[in-house]
């Protein structure tokens, strides 16, 4: 289920999509609800659409069921919170890689105290077939 980011629900596993006008979509995955919200708002401030995922610890995950993630399939870029990334999840992502690149990121805070992602590693995902 997707709802506009402005409709902030309390359910930590909720997946939300922004209503930004950009055709580029960023998926933000973090178990930390504040971080997930701040990162999504950071990308929305850049004019990008966002989707949010709380990860397999908070919700049923297609990757845990050896299926492709439908959110991965919709995203142009994926940001995984390094602190939320378990070895099992990373293995599942590499076993069923998305077309979109994945940025493994850590969080930093700006002068207002809002968190934003800093990529520390990139996984390019599936290679296009020739």
């Amino acid at each position: 289920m997707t709802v506009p980011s402005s409709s902030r629900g309390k359910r930590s596993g909720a997946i939300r999509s922004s209503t930004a006008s950009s055709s580029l979509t960023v998926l933000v995955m973090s178990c930390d609800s504040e971080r997930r919200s701040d990162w999504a708002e950071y990308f929305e401030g850049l004019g990008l659409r966002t989707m949010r995922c709380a990860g397999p610890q908070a919700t049923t995950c297609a990757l845990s069921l050896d299926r492709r993630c439908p959110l991965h399939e919709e995203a142009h870029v994926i940001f995984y919170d390094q602190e939320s990334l378990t070895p099992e999840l990373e293995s599942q992502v590499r076993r069923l890689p998305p077309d979109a690149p994945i940025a493994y990121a850590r969080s930093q805070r700006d002068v207002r105290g809002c968190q934003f992602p800093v990529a520390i590693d990139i996984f390019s995902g599936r290679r296009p077939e020739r």
Side-chain angles (χ1 to χ4, degrees):
M1 177 177 154
T2 59
V3 295
S5 291
S6 58
S7 303
R8 304 256 187 249
K10 298 293 182 198
R11 192 179 114 118
S12 66
I15 299 166
R16 300 178 194 106
S17 178
S18 70
T19 56
S21 62
S22 174
S23 60
L24 295 177
T25 301
V26 177
L27 170 61
V28 174
M29 193 294 289
S30 178
C31 297
D32 182 300
S33 61
E34 177 187 4
R35 181 170 299 151
R36 189 172 57 249
S37 177
D38 282 358
W39 285 14
E41 289 175 10
Y42 170 81
F43 289 118
E44 290 166 1
L46 297 174
L48 303 171
R49 288 184 61 241
T50 61
M51 295 184 296
R52 304 169 190 204
C53 178
Q57 296 89 343
T59 185
T60 302
C61 178
L63 293 171
S64 299
L65 302 171
D66 285 329
R67 296 186 186 138
R68 291 207 177 281
C69 175
L71 298 177
H72 282 181
E73 301 305 317
E74 292 182 41
H76 294 96
V77 178
I78 303 163
F79 272 77
Y80 271 89
D81 176 7
Q82 187 70 29
E83 289 185 26
S84 298
L85 190 65
T86 64
E88 296 81 17
L89 179 58
E90 186 170 12
S91 174
Q92 291 161 336
V93 168
R94 290 181 184 271
R95 190 171 60 251
L96 297 166
D99 288 329
I102 296 174
Y104 299 111
R106 61 180 173 76
S107 199
Q108 284 192 338
R109 291 193 183 266
D110 63 17
V111 294
R112 298 171 300 143
C114 295
Q115 298 180 70
F116 63 94
V118 176
I120 56 174
D121 195 14
I122 304 288
F123 174 61
S124 62
R126 270 188 276 179
R127 302 279 189 255
E129 295 180 18
R130 294 179 185 197

